[in-house]
């Protein structure tokens, strides 16, 4: 039996330790930016989840990564830069999905402001700021749909594909990554407009009818009637069209996978 070379064993352990730190960094930033996980899940649970998934990804990622490309443990500057780059890639993957949900929540805010329901605001745990209840409802709806259709598995598959295209320690940034963020921001805004369009159109029609009634019957208290008609119209149309938010989000989530696939 050949004796074990202590120096080779030590180097193997150090290389895998550095690789594990890089994988953990990319995964941790992904979980922080990912909907339904970054907020609402205790930090201890997120830490355990990140360590568990890192352990599962280690064998597959080790086959895709060359040990010579990993930063040396004695070069703290290169190691710090490599960790920062891993974190930015993980945040990029998670933010692409979060931007869609944020854009759709802006659609909920447009519905609230058009319907004159600004008093029903509440603190949103994601942004720690005041947000209308309808916007929170849309955000919770699309987040639950993402988990129901397997969006979390899609995000993890995108993470694994990123290690194939951008191995740990060999990340190079390009203009296409910034273009992807801008495209996702635009797609999120468009999705929010698509969600809010039916309700806003109904509210504008209700305001037009209220204006015609006030011109015909000036003795009626238009302010009280107008608020009631707006609230009733908003609730009826929102109840009929809220399901479209899930369909829109599924389409946009599929587009996220396509865009990230092209980027890799």
């Amino acid at each position: 039996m050949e004796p074990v070379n202590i120096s080779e064993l030590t180097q193997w352990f150090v290389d895998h330790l550095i690789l594990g730190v890089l994988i953990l960094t990319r995964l941790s930033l992904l979980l922080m930016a990912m909907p339904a996980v970054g907020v609402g899940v205790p930090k201890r649970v997120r830490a355990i989840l990140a360590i568990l998934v890192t352990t599962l990804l280690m064998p597959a990622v080790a086959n895709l990564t060359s040990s010579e490309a990993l930063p040396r443990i004695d070069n703290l500057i290169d190691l710090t830069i490599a960790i920062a780059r891993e974190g930015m890639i993980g945040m990029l993957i998670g933010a692409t999905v979060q931007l869609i949900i944020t854009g759709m929540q802006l659609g909920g805010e447009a519905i609230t402001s058009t319907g004159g329901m600004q008093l029903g605001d509440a603190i949103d745990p994601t942004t720690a700021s005041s947000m209308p209840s309808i916007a929170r409802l849309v955000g919770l709806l699309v987040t639950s749909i993402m988990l129901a259709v397997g969006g979390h598995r899609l995000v993890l598959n995108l993470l694994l594909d990123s290690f194939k295209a951008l191995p740990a320690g060999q990340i190079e940034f390009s203009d296409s990554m910034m273009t992807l963020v801008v495209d996702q921001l635009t797609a999120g805004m468009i999705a929010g407009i698509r969600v809010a369009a039916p309700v806003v159109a109904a509210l504008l029609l209700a305001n037009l009818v209220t204006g015609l009634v006030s011109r015909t019957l000036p003795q009626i208290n238009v302010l009280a009637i107008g608020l009631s008609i707006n609230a009733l119209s908003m609730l009826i149309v929102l109840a009929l069209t809220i399901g479209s938010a899930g369909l829109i989000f599924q389409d946009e989530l599929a587009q996220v996978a396509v865009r990230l696939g092209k980027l890799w």
Side-chain angles (χ1 to χ4, degrees), residues 75-134:
N75 194 338
L76 295 180
I77 296 178
D78 291 344
L79 182 59
T80 303
I81 294 175
I83 292 175
R85 289 180 175 180
E86 294 291 335
M88 293 180 68
I89 293 298
M91 185 171 292
L92 173 66
I93 300 173
T96 52
V97 181
Q98 183 61 51
L99 285 175
I100 298 176
I101 297 179
T102 303
M104 298 184 73
Q105 287 179 328
L106 290 177
E109 292 187 4
I111 294 174
T112 303
S113 59
T114 306
M117 304 292 290
Q118 291 88 344
L119 296 179
D121 291 1
I123 300 298
D124 180 38
T126 304
T127 59
S129 60
S130 180
M131 179 176 290
S133 300
I134 296 178

Side-chain angles (χ1 to χ4, degrees), residues 19 22-23 26 61 65-66 69-71 86 163 166-171:
L19 180 61
L22 296 178
I23 297 173
R26 189 183 298 194
V61 177
T65 307
S66 175
L70 294 176
E86 294 291 335
F163 281 110
L166 301 173
Q170 305 179 36
I171 295 177

Side-chain angles (χ1 to χ4, degrees), residues 26-36 38 86-104 126 146 155 158-159 177-178 180-189 249 252-253 256-257 259-260 264:
R26 189 183 298 194
L27 178 62
S28 299
L29 269 295
L30 168 63
L31 294 178
M32 289 178 61
M34 182 178 174
E86 294 291 335
M88 293 180 68
I89 293 298
M91 185 171 292
L92 173 66
I93 300 173
T96 52
V97 181
Q98 183 61 51
L99 285 175
I100 298 176
I101 297 179
T102 303
M104 298 184 73
T126 304
M146 185 193 73
V155 174
L158 293 173
L159 175 66
M177 295 182 180
M178 183 58 66
L180 174 65
V181 175
V182 176
D183 291 343
Q184 285 303 120
L185 183 60
T186 305
M189 297 291 293
F249 178 75
E252 293 298 333
L253 188 62
V256 167
R259 293 191 183 102
L260 284 175
W264 302 149

Side-chain angles (χ1 to χ4, degrees), residues 12-73:
W12 180 89
F13 177 77
V14 170
D15 291 342
H16 281 72
L17 178 62
I18 295 175
L19 180 61
V21 171
L22 296 178
I23 297 173
L24 182 63
T25 302
R26 189 183 298 194
L27 178 62
S28 299
L29 269 295
L30 168 63
L31 294 178
M32 289 178 61
M34 182 178 174
V37 180
V39 178
V41 178
K43 295 181 179 179
R44 186 174 300 177
V45 175
R46 276 185 288 172
I48 295 174
L49 179 62
I51 295 174
L52 178 61
V53 177
T54 300
T55 305
L56 296 176
L57 291 178
M58 273 288 292
V61 177
N63 294 329
L64 302 172
T65 307
S66 175
S67 59
E68 289 79 8
L70 294 176
R72 311 300 299 178
I73 196 171

Side-chain angles (χ1 to χ4, degrees), residues 213-260:
V213 170
S214 65
R215 297 286 293 180
T216 306
L217 302 173
Q219 66 273 18
I220 297 179
N221 188 351
V222 180
L223 181 60
I225 295 178
L227 291 176
S228 301
I229 293 177
N230 281 350
L232 185 61
S233 302
M234 183 185 68
L235 293 177
I236 292 176
V237 179
L238 183 63
L240 295 175
T241 61
I242 191 64
S244 64
L247 299 176
I248 294 172
F249 178 75
Q250 290 185 51
D251 294 338
E252 293 298 333
L253 188 62
Q255 292 298 322
V256 167
V258 173
R259 293 191 183 102
L260 284 175

